[in-house]
Structure formats: C-alpha cells, structure tokens
Amino acid sequence: MECEVSDLVKKDGFDYMFMPSACDECGGRCCCGESGYIYLKPKEIDNISSFLSISREMFLEKYTYKKGYKYSLKEQQISDNEFECIFFSKESGSCMIYSVRPEQCRTFPFWDYFKNMIDELKEECPGI
C-alpha cells in the first residue's frame, strides 16, 4: 500500500506513524483478537444509545457489562481465543457505530501500551 507522507498521522510521544487508509483493507484487526476491555465514559454511553435509538438502560443491559465501577462493551467469542467487539460487522469488516465509537477506539493505535510494543502493534495494525 503506497501513501504520501502527508497521509500519515503522527502523535507526540510516539515513535511511529499511522496510515488511516489502511483501515479500508484491514478487516477490523483492532476489533478482533484476544479478549479485552473497551471502557465507556458516561457521555459515550449517551451518544451510542442515542445513535442506536434505544434508552441508556437498554444499551447498558444489551451491549455492556460492568467491570469494577466501569462499563465495557461486550464481545462475541468466535473461537477458543478469539473475540470480536459486539459492534464489529464481519459482513462489512467495519464498526457499526463508527461515527460514535468510544474514545478508546478513536485513539487506536496511539495507546500508551504500544509505545514500547511497536513490534506487537505492527502485527495487529497494517497501518503502522
């Protein structure tokens, strides 16, 4: 995949750049894999439930679970050690709530965790 340097996203404090257009061909590798948590802020809960045209309570009951004092999006188990976000669509290979996705999703791949784990990130994200 060829791109111009101007197409790359760089964030202060990170030793890599990201090519957002790689998402078009990726198939949602950041939405699938090992189990994890996608924590939601109160405003994100409101935004997603509104986007889905359901009550906040219905959204929390149907699409989240409580981890400690936080809510996380549910996952679907697709094999022994592979999971996918409940809002990941295999058919389209994309997020069904993309326009209102949580900040945690919006900031990928610029997570502090990956600052020292660039090789692991490269395996997960073809846009690095």
Side-chain angles (χ1 to χ4, degrees), residues 72-87:
S72 179
L73 290 178
K74 288 182 179 176
E75 299 171 298
Q76 301 175 94
Q77 189 166 5
I78 53 178
S79 69
D80 283 345
N81 292 319
E82 193 164 345
F83 298 80
E84 64 187 20
C85 175
I86 194 143
F87 289 111

Side-chain angles (χ1 to χ4, degrees), residues 38-54 59 63-64 73 85 87 94-107:
I38 300 296
Y39 291 118
L40 300 168
K41 297 176 180 177
K43 183 67 175 161
E44 293 169 339
I45 293 169
D46 293 340
N47 289 344
I48 298 169
S49 59
S50 176
F51 178 81
L52 297 172
S53 299
I54 60 175
F59 169 73
Y63 297 108
T64 72
L73 290 178
C85 175
F87 289 111
S94 63
C95 177
M96 295 183 284
I97 60 165
Y98 189 82
S99 64
V100 293
R101 69 196 185 283
E103 180 180 0
Q104 187 173 338
C105 301
R106 291 176 188 274
T107 58

Side-chain angles (χ1 to χ4, degrees), residues 2-127:
E2 209 170 298
C3 73
E4 299 289 322
V5 172
S6 62
D7 296 334
L8 298 174
V9 175
K10 173 80 173 126
K11 298 277 183 184
D12 289 341
F14 293 86
D15 293 334
Y16 53 86
M17 292 186 278
F18 173 61
M19 179 178 48
S21 61
C23 297
D24 297 338
E25 305 294 323
C26 165
R29 288 169 28 181
C30 59
C31 303
C32 305
E34 293 178 18
S35 183
Y37 304 108
I38 300 296
Y39 291 118
L40 300 168
K41 297 176 180 177
K43 183 67 175 161
E44 293 169 339
I45 293 169
D46 293 340
N47 289 344
I48 298 169
S49 59
S50 176
F51 178 81
L52 297 172
S53 299
I54 60 175
S55 70
R56 185 178 208 279
E57 293 73 23
M58 176 63 75
F59 169 73
L60 291 173
E61 181 181 316
K62 188 171 181 179
Y63 297 108
T64 72
Y65 65 97
K66 203 140 190 203
K67 175 69 176 156
Y69 63 92
K70 298 178 181 181
Y71 287 98
S72 179
L73 290 178
K74 288 182 179 176
E75 299 171 298
Q76 301 175 94
Q77 189 166 5
I78 53 178
S79 69
D80 283 345
N81 292 319
E82 193 164 345
F83 298 80
E84 64 187 20
C85 175
I86 194 143
F87 289 111
F88 178 70
S89 167
K90 275 189 185 191
E91 292 78 35
S92 67
S94 63
C95 177
M96 295 183 284
I97 60 165
Y98 189 82
S99 64
V100 293
R101 69 196 185 283
E103 180 180 0
Q104 187 173 338
C105 301
R106 291 176 188 274
T107 58
F108 183 86
F110 296 103
W111 294 351
D112 286 343
Y113 172 82
F114 289 122
K115 283 184 176 180
N116 298 311
M117 307 293 279
I118 298 173
D119 288 339
E120 181 181 335
L121 177 59
K122 286 179 183 177
E123 287 181 32
E124 184 170 337
C125 181

